[in-house]
Amino acid sequence: MTLIVLDLNLNFITKIRSAFFSITRPVIEVLLLPRDAFVSFSQHASTVLSLNKKINELENDLRINAKIMLKIQQLENENKELRALLGLQVKLDPSFVNAEIRYELPDVYTNKVVINKGESHELAVGYPVITARGILGQLSRVYNTSAELTLVSDSNISVPVSLPASEVIAITKGQGNRATFELQFADISAKIKVGDEVITSGLGGVYPPGILVGHIISVSPAEAGQFPEVVGRVASNAGLQHQVMVLLKKEMEDGAE
């Protein structure tokens, strides 16, 4: 009873409690430090994991979007080629078969690709193949549902051509590098220039006249008794083409007439 009376009059117990709290508080704070550190570390780790997950999701979305954009670009390019081929078909009005390049033959000594049409589509060896950009080559081997196409850049392919700018008639011979051809038997006195257009002449009846073959990229003057060294770059590159058009025998015979 005495302690209660003293506490009521002097607030004795409250002062003792306050003093005890002041003494023990720093100790408690120190004891809580490991807990606070663990909680902080756990929250930080959780935040890092969450951010890494979001980054991975964003990177995955970017990869998917990149694939979609690439596919869209490929479809747009193929659509342009198809429209250009359609315009070429209307211009030439030949008998033809549309085909697609499947792959390149792994032969370093030849420039050949394989298309997805063959004998079952009335194709035969010797048929010319063109694209929206120009002459691509000639069928050299035909199977039931596929065929080998030898490119203009192959050393075994020759195309009768003309150069409208200089009124030259000549023959191309591929240089075997998938990109260029040599102009043979060009007029010694002809004024051939870099950039001149090379088109099919129609001679021989294999290739229709007036189709682009390529452009001249170098001209070396002729030496005494020799033809000038003239090199051209093909206009139609198989590595950049998927859709092609094979001209059939009827058109070739018509051209020969």
Side-chain angles (χ1 to χ4, degrees):
M1 288 295 293
T2 304
L3 290 174
I4 295 173
V5 173
L6 289 174
D7 182 47
L8 289 173
N9 295 325
L10 302 175
N11 203 16
F12 179 72
I13 294 177
T14 301
K15 292 180 180 179
I16 293 175
R17 187 185 297 114
S18 178
F20 178 78
F21 181 75
S22 298
I23 295 171
T24 59
R25 181 178 179 183
V27 177
I28 294 173
E29 291 294 333
V30 171
L31 293 175
L32 289 176
L33 284 177
R35 186 208 64 175
D36 294 341
F38 176 77
V39 171
S40 177
F41 177 78
S42 298
Q43 291 176 344
H44 177 73
S46 176
T47 302
V48 171
L49 290 174
S50 178
L51 287 174
N52 286 336
K53 183 179 179 181
K54 290 182 180 180
I55 290 172
N56 290 333
E57 290 176 352
L58 289 173
E59 289 178 346
N60 188 51
D61 291 342
L62 285 174
R63 283 193 292 268
I64 293 174
N65 290 334
K67 290 179 180 179
I68 293 174
M69 292 301 297
L70 179 61
K71 186 63 177 179
I72 291 174
Q73 185 63 44
Q74 290 174 343
L75 291 173
E76 288 180 349
N77 292 337
E78 289 183 6
N79 193 28
K80 289 179 182 178
E81 294 296 336
L82 287 171
R83 288 200 301 268
L85 272 177
L86 181 61
L88 190 58
Q89 292 167 6
V90 173
K91 178 181 177 181
L92 294 174
D93 192 26
S95 298
F96 60 86
V97 170
N98 286 328
E100 181 180 326
I101 295 175
R102 300 304 299 166
Y103 56 88
E104 297 181 6
L105 287 179
D107 187 347
V108 296
Y109 299 105
T110 61
N111 296 173
K112 295 183 179 182
V113 296
V114 174
I115 62 174
N116 64 342
K117 300 293 175 65
E119 290 179 348
S120 60
H121 300 88
E122 301 182 354
L123 302 189
V125 172
Y127 285 9
V129 181
I130 64 177
T131 72
R133 291 188 175 96
I135 291 290
L136 186 60
Q138 193 172 354
L139 297 185
S140 54
R141 185 172 295 179
V142 180
Y143 307 99
N144 185 39
T145 57
S146 63
E148 291 182 9
L149 164 62
T150 303
L151 306 178
V152 173
S153 57
D154 189 280
S155 58
N156 293 315
I157 289 291
S158 295
V159 181
V161 296
S162 64
L163 283 70
S166 55
E167 298 182 349
V168 169
I169 301 295
I171 297 176
T172 69
K173 181 177 177 61
Q175 294 190 317
N177 57 10
R178 295 187 178 273
T180 61
F181 57 83
E182 181 183 354
L183 205 64
Q184 296 185 325
F185 311 117
D187 189 345
I188 297 177
S189 61
K191 296 181 179 180
I192 302 174
K193 299 178 181 179
V194 172
D196 281 356
E197 193 175 72
V198 182
I199 62 174
T200 53
S201 64
L203 296 176
V206 176
Y207 300 95
I211 301 178
L212 184 64
V213 178
H215 295 85
I216 301 302
I217 59 173
S218 69
V219 180
S220 300
E223 297 180 2
Q226 296 183 354
F227 291 100
E229 294 182 5
V230 183
V231 177
R233 182 177 298 279
V234 297
S236 185
N237 192 313
L240 302 175
Q241 302 289 161
H242 292 292
Q243 304 298 326
V244 300
M245 187 165 67
V246 184
L247 303 186
L248 301 183
K249 187 175 181 180
K250 180 180 182 299
E251 176 64 16
M252 293 160 51
E253 291 175 345
D254 293 344
E257 294 175 359

